[in-house]
Amino acid sequence: MTDEQDIPKTVPKRGYEVIQGYLRTLDSSPGVYRMLDDQSRVLYVGKARNLKARVSSYSRPSAQHSRRITRMISDTASMMFLTTRTETEALLLEQNLIKQLKPKFNVLLRDDKSFPNILVTTEHDFPQIKKHRGAKTEKGAYYGPFASAGAVNRTLTQLQRVFLLRNCTDSMFEGRSRPCLLFQIRRCSGPCTGEISGEDYAESVADAQRFLSGKSTEMQARLADQMMAASEAMEFERAAALRDRIRALTQVQSVQGINPQGVEEADVVALHLEHGQACVQVFFIRSGQNWGNRDFYPRVGEDVEEAEVLEAFLGQFYDSKEPPRLVLLSHEIENPDLMSEALSGKLGRKVELAVPKRGEKAELVEGAARNARESLARRMAETATQAKLLRGVGEAFGLDAPPQRIEVYDNSHIMGTNAVGGMIVAGPEGFMKNHYRKYNIRGEDLVPGDDFGMMKEVLTRRFTRLLKEDPDRSKGLWPDLLLIDGGAGQVSAVWEIMQEQGVDDIPMVGVAKGVDRDHGKEEFHRIGTRPFALQRNDPVLYFIQRLRDEAHRWAIGTHRAKRAKAQMANPLDEVPGVGATRKRALLQHFGSAKAVARANLADLKAVDGVSEALAERIYAFFHEKG
């Protein structure tokens, strides 16, 4: 019998030896390569004009690699390859895979929300102006992107003062019998009740579109001429109204800040890199107007160069967004011609990348770079404070290490109705709002107001999904600490729920009000320990209060939105075959959904666009519902 010590043990190959093994089968095609660890997790995604040459650069121990690349090579246990027809295709595929797989050693853009636009609809005789986010499926003229919802809202508010365009929905417009409050406060011209003619309203719409297209100076001159003419004709009320429109236009431009004279359409992208952290500032210039700016904080390593970070950012940023005709950059990137070709293919016309050295364009880039530097400094200061607080949390609750992801849960309902659960997340960078989650309570067997039952449903759904999507806990989605709003009873209930899920290694703490239910006298409960409290002036206590209050705010806000939606629901939406057009015709004819429900079959058949079969269906629907 062979002694166990004599059995040769096979050590999995990793690093240079593994990479060298792939060189025999690779050719010089362009493509994308993936480096994986011994658990098949993707470490890095890269593109190459020549796959064999690129992979060969990783196979030589004598090569001068950075520490990051050296660690990546040493962790590589296997590789995967995809060939493409061109290097441009490889670039697009690389950025798409990076966004999907989030590899450990790639530069990664973490905040990738869509940007809002202003939409002027065209399907109605009296077009509506409103904020729009997402796919451009609705017919109309889109203006944007704007950097944030706040930038859009400010612009819309000022445009309503100037042009008095409606922002109500079509169904609300059709159902009006008298002007709404916006007409009374001079924010709308009241087209719903004929307070303005179709021709005059159309002229206001055209003016708004001229302004959004960058013709504000020309328009202000024309309004000034009209104001002078009205004043000379002693039409003082009209002259005052025109004066107010000119002031509002000026206010819009002052809010926008810098409005470049020689740049019609561009994104200004500036990077600041410091101590292994990066901030990219993007300014949106459209129609010669500044439509706001946003800062981004891509995940980078300590030894990356500006060119690599900026190129990775551009590829991921424009993967799901339409690029402008000109992108002004603070630094050169590694493959400017390739990136320009890729963005041009996406836009359908030439996209130019430029690093300006002088003139107005250079001043725009310099301003964006200054914003990036200042934003990163503020973030680093906030991160240092947050890290100190997380260390305090770890010490206060006896954790093995400072938590990197804290999840806080709360429920909200009124006597069991419209019940929702909310989860907020906090980590080293503060509140992680893109990780917040809402849970509509579905349990039909729950007793109204059963907080334990609601919490059980929320946590069961949360951890069932986690176990399915990230069973090996490698994606950073698992919490290091659960905070529960409640005392010993809630903590025990949550402990049982987690035991049922097979998750018994995540610390949990219940946060309960003290005997007087006083802010500052909170008691903390953990399984197997006595309740304890923190000093009233302890920064950790204030931090926990902020987390709990944020969870409460999130849950209540979700509940209110759900309740408002239920209250605003129109029973006509539930009738099969009744779409927006027929719904509008019914409301115009009867005045309200209640009147439709009370109508007899003959009256329903008399409505334009409602067939005999549909009239019978509507009549049956309301009578069956009682």
Side-chain angles (χ1 to χ4, degrees), residues 186-218:
R186 297 185 181 181
R187 295 291 184 273
C188 179
S189 52
C192 55
T193 55
E195 309 300 325
I196 184 174
S197 68
E199 294 78 10
D200 288 344
Y201 190 84
E203 181 61 28
S204 294
V205 172
D207 279 345
Q209 292 185 290
R210 289 188 194 104
F211 175 81
L212 290 168
S213 300
K215 299 176 181 177
S216 56
T217 305
E218 167 194 321

Side-chain angles (χ1 to χ4, degrees), residues 169-203:
T169 63
D170 289 351
S171 59
M172 186 179 293
F173 179 92
E174 304 296 351
R176 297 296 309 181
S177 59
R178 58 181 180 179
C180 68
L181 178 63
L182 288 176
F183 174 78
Q184 308 297 335
I185 63 173
R186 297 185 181 181
R187 295 291 184 273
C188 179
S189 52
C192 55
T193 55
E195 309 300 325
I196 184 174
S197 68
E199 294 78 10
D200 288 344
Y201 190 84
E203 181 61 28

